[in-house]
Amino acid sequence: KVWWRDDALFQEAAYELLQRGRYRTMCAQDLGCVLWAFSMIQWEDGAVFEVLAVAARTQIHTLKPLDVGNIAWALGASGQLDCDTARAIAEHVLQHDMSKPSLESGGGWGATADGWVHVLNAIGRFHAELGDCWDKLKGCFEQAVFTPLCQHLHGVQQGVTSDVAQA
């Protein structure tokens, strides 16, 4: 367990979310942050994750790349990601071409390995159910991160090789 966990605080937050329906008034960014917090403290009550995942799916069209990464990571890390949410995340990423940085998509995480790792790692267990969508996501990852990384490493290697040859 996490040493800074305050059970009373999170019990109160869970009560507010579940019993009072506070999740209904939360924006997508808040949903992602709250999911992340509950996952970080290794919260064991799946009802909180379930309610927040449904709320996130209803707002999926408003999610910015950071929100997508937080939600995917939190649900995946807590073992609470369901196939419907995995599909919604995958389709949203593909529909909004989050493979490239842009101002409209909140800066984009597409050019960073972390954002892709969070999404692909979380939804990877549903690759069979996602089918073509999964293959397209992997292709976007290759285009956005893997190919540029390989090109960069090749350039570094060429630089090292030429430096050694000059010495």
Side-chain angles (χ1 to χ4, degrees):
K1 298 290 179 193
V2 180
W3 67 267
W4 45 264
R5 180 179 179 154
D6 182 341
D7 286 331
L9 175 66
F10 280 92
Q11 279 288 39
E12 185 177 332
Y15 175 81
E16 289 290 321
L17 290 167
L18 297 175
Q19 303 303 317
R20 292 192 164 182
R22 291 285 300 265
Y23 66 91
R24 291 184 194 103
T25 61
M26 296 171 71
C27 68
Q29 182 179 10
D30 291 345
L31 290 169
C33 290
V34 170
L35 275 165
W36 182 88
F38 275 99
S39 185
M40 280 297 292
I41 65 159
Q42 301 167 352
W43 190 256
E44 295 177 3
D45 181 2
V48 170
F49 292 101
E50 184 179 340
V51 164
L52 293 175
V54 169
R57 282 199 313 265
T58 64
Q59 295 189 43
I60 197 84
H61 63 283
T62 67
L63 293 178
K64 294 180 180 173
L66 180 62
D67 308 324
V68 172
N70 281 343
I71 290 168
W73 178 85
L75 292 172
S78 65
Q80 300 293 326
L81 183 65
D82 61 272
C83 189
D84 290 336
T85 304
R87 180 177 302 287
I89 289 170
E91 289 173 353
H92 180 69
V93 168
L94 292 171
Q95 180 182 7
H96 294 283
D97 193 14
M98 292 186 179
S99 64
K100 298 177 182 75
S102 71
L103 294 175
E104 298 83 35
S105 63
W109 49 257
T112 69
D114 286 349
W116 279 105
V117 167
H118 290 328
V119 171
L120 292 175
N121 190 44
I123 67 175
R125 69 179 210 186
F126 297 105
H127 71 277
E129 293 91 338
L130 296 175
D132 196 38
C133 207
W134 175 250
D135 293 334
K136 288 178 184 175
L137 277 176
K138 289 191 309 183
C140 285
F141 169 77
E142 185 173 325
Q143 178 185 4
V145 178
F146 189 71
T147 299
L149 178 62
C150 288
Q151 290 169 344
H152 176 74
L153 291 174
H154 181 71
V156 169
Q157 182 182 24
Q158 293 297 335
V160 169
T161 304
S162 63
D163 289 346
V164 171
Q166 291 176 359

